[in-house]
Amino acid sequence: MAVLEPVPVSQLRGVGPRMAQRLADYGIHQVEDLLFHLPLRYQDRTRITPLAALQDGVEAAFEGEVRLADISFGRRRSLVVRVQDGSGMLTLRFFHFSAAQKQALKPGVRIRGFGQARRGANGAEMAHPEYRVLDGPTPIDVEETLTPIYPTTEGIGQAQWRKLCTQALAWLERTAPPDLLAGAGLKGPGLVEALRYLHAPPPDASLARLLDSQHPAQLRLALEELVAHQLSLLRLRASQQSDPAPTLQPRPKLWQQLQAHLPFQPTTAQERVIGEIGRDLASAVPMLRLVQGDVGSGKTLVAAAAALQAIGNGFQVALMAPTEILAEQHRRNFAAWLEPLGIELAWLTGRSRGRQRQATLETIAAGRAGMVIGTHALFQEDVRFQRLGLVMVDEQHKFGVHQRLSLTDKGAAGLRPHQLVLTATPIPRTLSMVAYADLDCSVIDELPPGRQPVTTVLIDSQRRDQVVERVAAACASGRQAYWVCTLIEESDALQAQAAEATAEALREALPDLAIGLVHGRMKPADKEAVMAAFKSGELTLLVATTVIEVGVDVPNASLMVIENPERLGLAQLHQLRGRVGRGSEASHCVLLYQSPLSRNGRQRLQALRDSNDGFYIAERDLELRGPGEVLGTRQTGLMAFRVASLPEHEHLLDRVQEIAERLQSGDPAIVDAMIRRWTGERTQFARV
Ligand code: ADP
Ligand code: MG
């Protein structure tokens, strides 16, 4: 099938160099790009709604005669205009208005307008509707289609989008771009029909169905978009596997030596996943594997087993963590496990400076350090490895895809390192199919034996005093507790302040307790000292910000209080809660919420209360908050679909995979065209 010659948007009427530039900045270069710039929603200007039939909250076109236009001096000065038609009355309210405007709205004048009606005590009202005065008898000139509202950017108005898209539709009718999914045996509208429908739905189109994203035209395009997205990930995978990786033979002796030091046996699930990874590593095709395992399932040991296989073959391993606290904890675990086997560790974070940093870089470059652990500082350009064979990323959703890939460029000459991604955010199958199609997936679906499920309760923050007493009682009986402060603001400074204030108040209320404080603004050495004191039991209560969200492991801590849990995502709360329930003690988590809770907020917290299963919780989070929140912000760029949405289009995913795999093995020009059509410039990374 031929792919169409591109037609630049500059060939359209009304697109001069400035407009062309604005469109280009927005990622729109060709006429075809305009067609795939789809409306966010629609307005119905195809009919005039009688004033008596205006519905609360619904946008509608109206027409009527002005009966009165007066300035009202209520709470705010406003121009109030009463309009009447045969059926009823409508009050228009303008808070910004000119004298000329008031002049023009003389009683007796007919106007036509459009706006969102509110039904109040005095009948229907509209604030700041669009309107125009009808002079003389006008023929009815309502719109012939629903009016699309496009996503937009500065400097391009809706009217301009409509003009551009109308021309693009005319081009569509003339040229009929190839239906790249023709032959996929799809029922329902074809590509041209679907595009026409969505840019200009007929007056009888169901707005409700369009809003639900379930119109056949939307389904047709969503399917294609998801296929395109899948293709771009498959291509990413192919590009990652275009160079060979080192073949790393299993090293059972080393692994046995490590196990000899362990106070426990690996679980069956850990063994299985270690086996899956081991087979990947022994192959010259670079491994691209995601390990999902609920909080506390023991991913670190799995990572250590993988590391041993690489190091045992004379290659270096990089392990990257999203926070210093987590990196530090990995450092401690790996030091305890690997150093007895004679393996040297290097440690690099954003705070590594000066001569010490230089020395570390040298051990890495010389290949002396077999195991290199750090934060995103490992991405820095001057970090060079001698023989990097395996890259491991913990808590992947905190990093972007780009970052992960930039490390794989640090491989030994001509060899691509294997990649292992560890995530504790259980990702619903639907999402992982879409977001991680470039990765194979292993699941650690078993917790180490003897873990106690965490009992979670919801308590209104008005009963905070009772919670403080409960903490006091728990600590008095030898347990340790976390008190987690959350804030909506991303600002470290504000978070730190809130945590400091809380710690202060708790110290006052509980003078007998040894209370520590840890937050993101502290010096790493201080942070480490506090964490160590908590771990050793010297501190019994730890006040913390969400810096302890990932990875922190203190088995004796069995109570956690989370303030304002309604502000966090479920996955994040589940992560936090995973800090308790690590020992043999029965553990508790108190969600100290601020009332009143919204309905959705209550449902979310209840999901957490009712389940300890990260997968169940993630599914609920996806339903209640959408994919962006579940995957974390860094991944949301990937999920910025035009028509497709999840979970609404989940039912398409099986088809998507099947079609994508078939296309992938077919004509590369079609794959190119699909990816370009739907993802445009957003997938530059696909061409690493
Ligand atoms: P996560 O999957 O959340 O990263 P970790 O790797 O931090 O979990 O492991 C959580 C805790 O469980 C650690 O203290 C670890 O030593 C311990 N652990 C790991 N595997 C096992 C096992 N098979 N049996 C008992 N404890 C284990
Ligand atoms: Mg972990």
Side-chain angles (χ1 to χ4, degrees):
M1 182 193 313
V3 172
L4 213 65
E5 276 296 302
V7 179
V9 277
S10 56
Q11 301 213 343
L12 297 178
R13 252 178 304 118
V15 182
R18 266 190 40 197
M19 185 53 129
Q21 188 55 50
R22 273 184 202 146
L23 288 168
D25 291 345
Y26 197 53
I28 292 181
H29 306 273
Q30 307 175 10
V31 175
E32 198 193 65
D33 297 339
L34 277 171
L35 285 172
F36 289 89
H37 183 62
L38 290 156
L40 289 170
R41 59 189 187 91
Y42 303 91
Q43 293 176 338
D44 186 355
R45 295 166 187 264
T46 63
R47 66 197 109 207
I48 304 279
T49 305
L51 297 183
L54 290 173
Q55 289 177 42
D56 190 44
V58 176
E59 288 180 323
F62 65 89
E63 189 176 313
E65 188 181 309
V66 175
R67 302 312 296 262
L68 168 148
D70 233 347
I71 296 179
S72 140
F73 297 91
R75 262 182 307 147
R76 267 175 79 189
R77 186 168 167 274
S78 60
L79 173 63
V80 174
V81 181
R82 289 246 149 70
V83 182
Q84 201 173 40
D85 67 359
S87 76
M89 281 285 249
L90 170 68
T91 306
L92 312 181
R93 203 177 282 279
F94 300 89
F95 294 104
H96 310 281
F97 58 94
S98 63
Q101 201 176 354
K102 175 168 185 288
Q103 271 305 308
L105 291 167
K106 283 193 292 285
V109 158
R110 291 190 69 73
I111 62 172
R112 179 176 295 165
F114 183 88
Q116 191 180 50
R118 288 267 157 243
R119 285 240 157 235
N122 303 319
E125 271 203 30
M126 278 185 194
H128 284 269
E130 303 166 26
Y131 72 93
R132 66 195 164 95
V133 171
L134 302 173
D135 25 23
T138 28
I140 301 286
D141 62 343
V142 290
E143 304 283 336
E144 284 169 7
T145 67
L146 297 187
T147 307
I149 307 293
Y150 291 97
T152 189
T153 174
E154 215 178 297
I156 311 182
Q158 289 299 330
Q160 280 166 309
W161 281 120
R162 278 172 218 147
K163 276 193 199 131
L164 292 170
C165 290
T166 305
Q167 294 182 64
L169 279 178
W171 173 82
L172 175 73
E173 302 297 344
R174 281 199 310 276
T175 52
D179 191 335
L180 301 176
L181 291 191
L186 299 181
K187 289 197 278 295
L191 178 71
V192 170
E193 205 182 321
L195 286 171
R196 192 192 297 141
Y197 194 96
L198 292 181
H199 282 284
D204 63 352
S206 156
L207 274 176
R209 202 144 177 228
L210 286 169
L211 263 183
D212 283 349
S213 312
Q214 298 299 332
H215 190 279
Q218 286 167 314
L219 295 181
R220 166 64 183 75
L221 294 184
L223 181 80
E224 181 170 327
E225 181 169 33
L226 289 167
V227 166
H229 178 83
Q230 194 84 358
L231 285 171
S232 79
L233 286 173
L234 290 176
R235 176 165 290 190
L236 174 64
R237 182 181 169 87
S239 81
Q240 286 294 296
Q241 295 186 324
S242 60
D243 295 321
T247 50
L248 307 170
Q249 298 309 327
R251 289 288 182 258
K253 276 235 180 69
L254 276 174
W255 177 227
Q256 276 157 20
Q257 273 175 284
L258 189 155
Q259 283 191 73
H261 294 288
L262 286 180
F264 51 74
Q265 289 283 314
T267 61
T268 319
Q270 282 171 320
E271 297 268 21
R272 191 190 65 244
V273 172
I274 289 170
E276 285 164 4
I277 296 168
R279 278 190 292 282
D280 283 356
L281 293 177
S283 147
V285 179
M287 170 171 77
L288 294 166
R289 187 169 286 279
L290 175 71
V291 173
Q292 290 191 49
D294 210 341
V295 186
S297 60
K299 291 181 290 294
T300 321
L301 184 68
V302 168
L308 274 188
Q309 189 163 336
I311 297 167
N313 281 271
F315 281 85
Q316 289 172 293
V317 177
L319 168 60
M320 195 163 49
T323 66
E324 269 179 55
I325 289 193
L326 184 54
E328 168 60 29
Q329 185 160 304
H330 282 320
R331 164 160 81 153
R332 250 185 278 127
N333 277 327
F334 277 84
W337 290 339
L338 302 190
E339 277 173 358
L341 310 182
I343 297 167
E344 193 174 329
L345 249 67
W347 160 250
L348 199 69
T349 74
R351 319 237 186 194
S352 314
R353 291 276 147 75
R355 222 180 298 155
Q356 198 200 344
R357 179 170 190 277
Q358 212 44 52
T360 305
L361 291 185
E362 276 161 28
T363 40
I364 299 173
R368 280 199 302 283
M371 183 77 215
V372 181
I373 298 178
T375 57
H376 54 273
L378 294 180
F379 297 124
Q380 286 158 354
E381 214 166 295
D382 58 349
V383 181
R384 295 205 184 79
F385 293 81
Q386 195 205 30
R387 277 160 72 74
L388 182 59
L390 169 64
V391 170
M392 302 195 288
V393 180
D394 196 4
E395 310 296 348
Q396 138 93 0
H397 63 295
K398 301 265 155 126
F399 296 107
V401 177
H402 289 92
Q403 284 176 305
R404 169 162 60 86
L405 297 183
S406 75
L407 251 187
T408 64
D409 289 339
K410 294 181 185 282
L415 291 177
R416 174 85 67 171
H418 295 281
Q419 293 177 48
L420 187 67
V421 172
L422 308 168
T423 178
T425 307
I427 302 151
R429 195 184 77 95
T430 43
L431 267 193
S432 70
M433 272 170 71
V434 175
Y436 295 112
D438 61 325
L439 300 172
D440 298 312
C441 189
S442 292
V443 182
I444 311 182
D445 50 5
E446 179 187 0
L447 291 179
R451 289 282 165 79
Q452 305 266 359
V454 181
T455 309
T456 300
V457 292
L458 273 56
I459 297 184
D460 189 324
S461 62
Q462 286 174 358
R463 288 162 54 203
R464 188 188 173 93
D465 289 349
Q466 287 169 322
V467 174
V468 172
E469 276 168 32
R470 186 166 167 173
V471 169
C475 292
S477 71
R479 294 164 64 183
Q480 286 176 282
Y482 295 99
W483 189 291
V484 185
C485 305
T486 64
L487 271 187
I488 319 175
E489 292 84 356
E490 286 287 299
S491 148
D492 271 1
L494 287 174
Q495 294 229 11
Q497 254 175 35
E500 266 160 19
T502 304
E504 208 44 54
L506 286 171
R507 279 179 186 134
E508 220 157 90
L510 306 170
D512 298 336
L513 288 191
I515 300 179
L517 169 66
V518 61
H519 59 66
R521 298 272 279 191
M522 288 163 56
K523 289 210 189 82
D526 296 343
K527 258 191 280 192
E528 277 163 40
V530 173
M531 290 309 298
F534 188 61
K535 194 155 193 165
S536 73
E538 204 178 303
L539 292 171
T540 43
L541 175 61
L542 184 64
V543 178
T545 58
T546 49
V547 295
I548 60 152
E549 172 192 341
V550 283
V552 171
D553 188 31
V554 179
N556 190 46
S558 60
L559 172 62
M560 173 175 281
V561 179
I562 305 178
E563 284 201 74
N564 307 313
E566 67 279 2
R567 293 172 177 175
L568 301 182
L570 284 188
Q572 198 179 2
L573 286 168
H574 180 62
Q575 281 283 310
L576 275 171
R577 181 175 61 176
R579 304 306 114 218
V580 292
R582 302 193 149 229
S584 48
E585 219 27 81
S587 291
H588 295 86
C589 176
V590 176
L591 302 175
L592 195 57
Y593 65 88
Q594 205 74 42
S595 57
L597 276 180
S598 68
R599 207 173 92 89
N600 185 286
R602 176 166 293 274
Q603 283 180 335
R604 295 200 300 115
L605 296 185
Q606 283 169 346
L608 203 70
R609 181 193 61 194
D610 296 343
S611 176
N612 274 292
D613 176 351
F615 281 89
Y616 168 80
I617 290 168
E619 296 275 2
R620 292 293 290 153
D621 213 16
L622 177 61
E623 274 166 40
L624 294 168
R625 296 215 310 175
E629 302 291 346
V630 177
L631 286 173
T633 44
R634 293 289 168 74
Q635 292 282 358
T636 2
L638 271 181
M639 307 299 287
F641 294 126
R642 298 176 191 193
V643 225
S645 56
L646 290 171
E648 289 82 353
H649 293 139
E650 186 175 343
H651 57 289
L652 299 176
L653 288 176
D654 285 329
R655 297 293 300 283
V656 167
Q657 272 199 324
E658 174 199 313
I659 297 174
E661 274 158 28
R662 199 160 37 74
L663 287 178
Q664 167 83 355
S665 52
D667 183 352
I670 291 185
V671 175
D672 278 344
M674 284 280 269
I675 293 178
R676 175 166 193 299
R677 173 181 280 179
W678 284 100
T679 58
E681 292 161 349
R682 281 179 296 162
T683 43
Q684 295 273 303
F685 66 80
R687 286 178 283 278
V688 202

